[in-house]
Structure formats: C-alpha cells, structure tokens
Amino acid sequence: MILGLSLMANAQNCDRLIASNSSNEIWTTRTGGTLEWKKIGSASNIVGMTYLQGNIYAVNTNNEIWKTSTNNINNWQKIGQATGVVALASYGAKLFAANNRGEIWYTSSNNINWIKLGNAKDITGMCILNGKIYAANRQNELYSSPTNSISWTKIGSAGGVTSLTACGEDIIGSNTSDEIW
C-alpha cells in the first residue's frame, strides 16, 4: 500500500512523483503519460512524506523525522521528532504535520521546533496548494483551510485516501487500493 506520496517540483514544473510503500521501498515515476515506476531506495516505516527545496522529508512510526537529498535518496539523516504524525506536507520553507491526536502542527524545515496551528480530526492525507491545506479524513471527506489559521471547509469526498500531494493547480492522491488520481 502507498503510505507517502510527494511530487518533486521545480517552480510549477512537477516532473517526478515519489512514493513510499508498506514494504519500506521508495519509488519514482515521471509525471504525465503512463506511470512507469522505478525503485530508487528504501526508508523504514514511513507514515508521511513531502518534498521541499531539493529534499524529501519523511516521518516514520518511531516518531522520527528524516531528510534526504533527491540527489542521494539513500542518505537519510535524522533531523528531529514528530510524535504521532499521520500526514506530512510542505509550503514555503515550512513543514506541516497532522497527528493522531487530531492536531495540525508546523515548523521551519531548518530548525525542527513544532508549533500547534489548530485541530483536524482523523486525517489520512494532507497537502498544501496555493496557501491552503487540503486534508482527507477517515470519513472519506475532503476539507480545505488557510495555512495561517485553521478554519476547515468541507469541499468534497475523498474515498479511501492514504496520501495527498500538490503542484501547480493539481492535487494528486493515492487510496487504499493503490490507485493514483
């Protein structure tokens, strides 16, 4: 099952999709056309993943946050703690995390010091697009909120979403059947 999903972006050009799975593997594919997946590395027990400024950030089941350069995917460095995280996203130079206690937190990617932003119940996947957080929950609902102050608005349904990512004007998700849409 896909557990983490991220797009590697260069401004508005999202040329590669990165995914982690329940077998502790990291895979990539070019975007557009037929998705042809290639295994590029490994990472243990990932629960959330995001791309930011040339690096992939990932949180694992041991509540650790790790970082690796996209140029050397198997050189993971532990950079801090992230307790109970179920989804990870990035915006600007910040990381955003949803946890299993129904909270949204953010931190600078350079100095991990989590600050509570607000609440979000039962999140399964989260991404940020144009200054808004988009989150899917266990009730198969899709919500949005500004990144500066949590105020959720239901915007649709999200059947079985396990992870979300965004680029340009697009939100991409994976579900419990390993489908990407």
Side-chain angles (χ1 to χ4, degrees):
M1 177 167 62
I2 296 173
L3 300 175
L5 190 65
S6 187
L7 279 168
M8 289 179 48
N10 196 342
Q12 294 297 310
N13 178 20
C14 303
D15 61 345
R16 287 196 325 179
L17 189 62
I18 305 283
S20 63
N21 65 21
S22 55
S23 298
N24 297 325
E25 300 165 329
I26 305 288
W27 293 78
T28 188
T29 186
R30 294 270 179 215
T31 56
T34 303
L35 300 181
E36 295 179 13
W37 291 96
K38 176 183 172 186
K39 182 180 173 187
I40 58 170
S42 61
S44 297
N45 304 311
I46 299 298
V47 295
M49 182 172 64
T50 192
Y51 171 84
L52 178 63
Q53 301 170 337
N55 294 299
I56 297 173
Y57 293 82
V59 175
N60 65 18
T61 55
N62 294 328
N63 300 316
E64 300 164 332
I65 186 163
W66 294 79
K67 170 178 137 176
T68 189
S69 166
T70 56
N71 295 326
N72 188 359
I73 200 80
N74 286 315
N75 188 25
W76 291 96
Q77 299 171 356
K78 182 181 171 187
I79 60 170
Q81 294 296 120
T83 305
V85 169
V86 295
L88 192 64
S90 60
Y91 180 68
K94 295 179 182 172
L95 300 174
F96 291 77
N99 67 26
N100 56 12
R101 295 178 310 280
E103 302 164 328
I104 300 283
W105 294 74
Y106 74 94
T107 186
S108 163
S109 61
N110 297 322
N111 181 21
I112 305 300
N113 183 24
W114 295 102
I115 299 166
K116 185 177 178 184
L117 183 60
N119 296 314
K121 187 178 178 188
D122 296 335
I123 298 298
T124 58
M126 178 174 71
C127 68
I128 300 175
L129 179 63
N130 297 328
K132 284 190 174 184
I133 300 171
Y134 291 86
N137 65 22
R138 279 189 247 147
Q139 291 75 32
N140 297 321
E141 300 165 324
L142 183 64
Y143 285 84
S144 70
S145 172
T147 56
N148 59 349
S149 175
I150 298 297
S151 174
W152 294 108
T153 301
K154 184 178 177 183
I155 59 171
S157 61
V161 165
T162 57
S163 59
L164 292 173
T165 191
C167 183
E169 297 298 317
D170 298 321
I171 295 175
I172 297 172
S174 63
N175 63 23
T176 53
S177 299
D178 285 341
E179 298 169 320
I180 294 177
W181 45 265

